[in-house]
Every structure is written in structure tokens, then in C-alpha cells.
Amino acid sequence: VINLFGATFFMTYGILLEAYPVAFLNGLIVCIDLYYLYQMWRQKDFFTFMEVKPTSDYLRTFVEFYRDDISSIIPNYTYHVEDSLICFFILRNMVPAGLFIAKVEGDQAHVKLDYVIPNYRDFKVARFIFEDNSMFFIQRGILRFVSEGGSDFHRKYLERMGFVRSRGMYVHEIGNRILQDGGF
């Protein structure tokens, strides 16, 4: 997009100065930029969940690899293996783009880690989890997510995804959303 604006500017500049080779070359760049932006816009990503056991070596390695970035977003997070954890990777075009770990207690999932790697932080992964796949959690008896928050960046993310601050925690009701959308 930035290149498109720059090429458009220099194309206009070339026309105004009657420097037609400059205008022509930048006009070609504008056409190429528009073509690639159109291709990017119409590309549809494929998302899926890949559930793993809390004892997974890949899970442990992933958390260790991104430890510094995770701690900058969720400072209090430490990886602990517990039986009541649900753990899954969110795959975007079959590439691990995010990791979700929650402790299930009754109909609540206490979110321990909701992490997306830096290259995929465009809210598409979050929408896939919290908006598009509510039934994934309802089928497991989960009706609400509870999160402690984290850094300011993480708290703003939670609010954007529909979490509401209540008694020092952030809560996201799953069932209400589906009833509003006519899912039942």
C-alpha cells in the first residue's frame, strides 16, 4: 500500500513535469501494486484447530521458543502441565499461528495462554477462536472464558474481542453470543 502511494505520487510528478519515462515506469508499478493487493485481498485463509495434550513436546518447545514474547504480553504466564487443561494450536493455512491453553472448571475456561505469533496478529486468529467457533467450546461444556488480562496490549485485545471486565477479571460469555446470533 505504501509503495502504491509512492508510485502514484511519482507518476503524477512525472506527468506534471512532462518526464514521461518517470510517469510511465511508475504507472507500471501502480498496476503491479494494484494486482498484488487484489490477490492478497481475495485470498481466503484456512483455519483449523489442532488439539494437543498438555504433555506434548511440540507444545513445550513452542512455548519455550516464544517465551520472551509471551512474557511481554502475559507477564505472569508459566507453562505447567495439568490434567484439566485444554491445549490447541490454531493453524492458519496449516502453519501454527497461535496457541490457546485454558483450564476447564465446570462451564468456565480459565484462559492461561491465548497467544498468536507476531506475523499473524491481525485478529483473524482471534475471530476464528472467539467468534467463528463457539460451538467447538460449547460441545466441550464451556460457556464462558475468563482471563486475568496481562499487559495493556493484552487487555486491549481482550476488550476488542468482547471480553468484559468484571471483578478484576475479563469474562467472555459464549452462550449469549450464540443465542443473539440465532445459533440455537
Side-chain angles (χ1 to χ4, degrees), residues 144-147 162-166 169-173:
R144 105 186 24 84
F145 298 109
V146 179
S147 177
F163 282 73
V164 178
R165 190 167 172 88
S166 174
M169 301 293 279
Y170 288 85
V171 179
H172 180 75
E173 300 286 339

Side-chain angles (χ1 to χ4, degrees), residues 91-145:
L91 305 180
R92 184 173 178 175
N93 300 323
M94 298 311 291
V95 174
L99 175 60
F100 186 90
I101 300 175
K103 182 175 184 177
V104 179
E105 294 177 348
D107 64 352
Q108 293 187 31
H110 293 268
V111 180
K112 301 296 182 185
L113 181 64
D114 174 16
Y115 175 74
V116 176
I117 63 175
N119 294 352
Y120 294 103
R121 289 188 186 148
D122 59 0
F123 290 97
K124 288 182 181 180
V125 171
R127 283 188 205 101
F128 176 76
I129 297 170
F130 297 116
E131 295 176 6
D132 300 342
N133 285 287
S134 299
M135 290 305 295
F136 177 86
F137 298 101
I138 289 176
Q139 290 170 346
R140 287 161 175 75
I142 299 168
L143 299 178
R144 105 186 24 84
F145 298 109

Side-chain angles (χ1 to χ4, degrees), residues 4-27 30:
L4 175 65
F5 284 121
T8 302
F9 173 79
F10 280 109
M11 181 181 72
T12 306
Y13 175 76
I15 291 171
L16 292 175
L17 290 179
E18 297 180 3
Y20 297 115
V22 171
F24 177 75
L25 179 62
N26 282 285
V30 166

